[in-house]
Amino acid sequence: MASATHRMKVLSLYKEMLRESQKFNSYNYRMYALRRIRDAFRTNKSLVDSSQIQSEMDYALKNLDIIKRQAMIGHMFRADKLVIEK
């Protein structure tokens, strides 16, 4: 039961991080964030110890706050789109 709860929370956090990283204006930041999120969750996929899972989730929540803050700052200081985005 506990693993199912952890699984749902982790999946929800993963989706929210991906959603928030899509809000970056800069293509480079957006792609970097997506790669880092996917790699981190893929690396920790095999964790079974609940204390380790909770520790990684706390770390991910801190990073989610950073992503939200940086995306907001990025909207304040817009730059031209790159050629690859047009």
Side-chain angles (χ1 to χ4, degrees):
M1 182 67 141
S3 72
T5 304
H6 279 302
R7 185 176 176 86
M8 287 176 29
K9 286 181 182 178
V10 168
L11 186 58
S12 174
L13 180 59
Y14 176 70
K15 287 180 180 180
E16 186 175 1
M17 290 183 81
L18 290 178
R19 224 177 293 119
E20 287 298 322
S21 66
Q22 289 293 328
K23 294 179 182 177
F24 280 118
N25 280 338
S26 171
Y27 174 81
N28 291 327
Y29 288 140
R30 192 170 49 246
M31 291 292 106
Y32 176 75
L34 289 171
R35 273 194 313 274
R36 290 286 297 154
I37 292 166
R38 288 182 183 129
D39 288 346
F41 276 84
R42 197 173 293 134
T43 301
N44 294 319
K45 182 179 175 180
S46 61
L47 290 179
V48 290
D49 183 27
S50 63
S51 64
Q52 283 182 325
I53 292 171
Q54 189 59 47
S55 172
E56 292 297 326
M57 284 187 61
D58 291 342
Y59 181 69
L61 284 169
K62 288 178 187 175
N63 282 320
L64 177 61
D65 289 339
I66 292 169
I67 290 170
K68 286 179 180 179
R69 187 172 52 245
Q70 288 303 119
M72 188 182 314
I73 291 171
H75 285 286
M76 289 184 205
F77 305 101
R78 293 189 184 257
D80 293 335
K81 292 197 178 268
L82 297 175
V83 173
I84 195 166
E85 295 180 283
K86 294 181 181 179

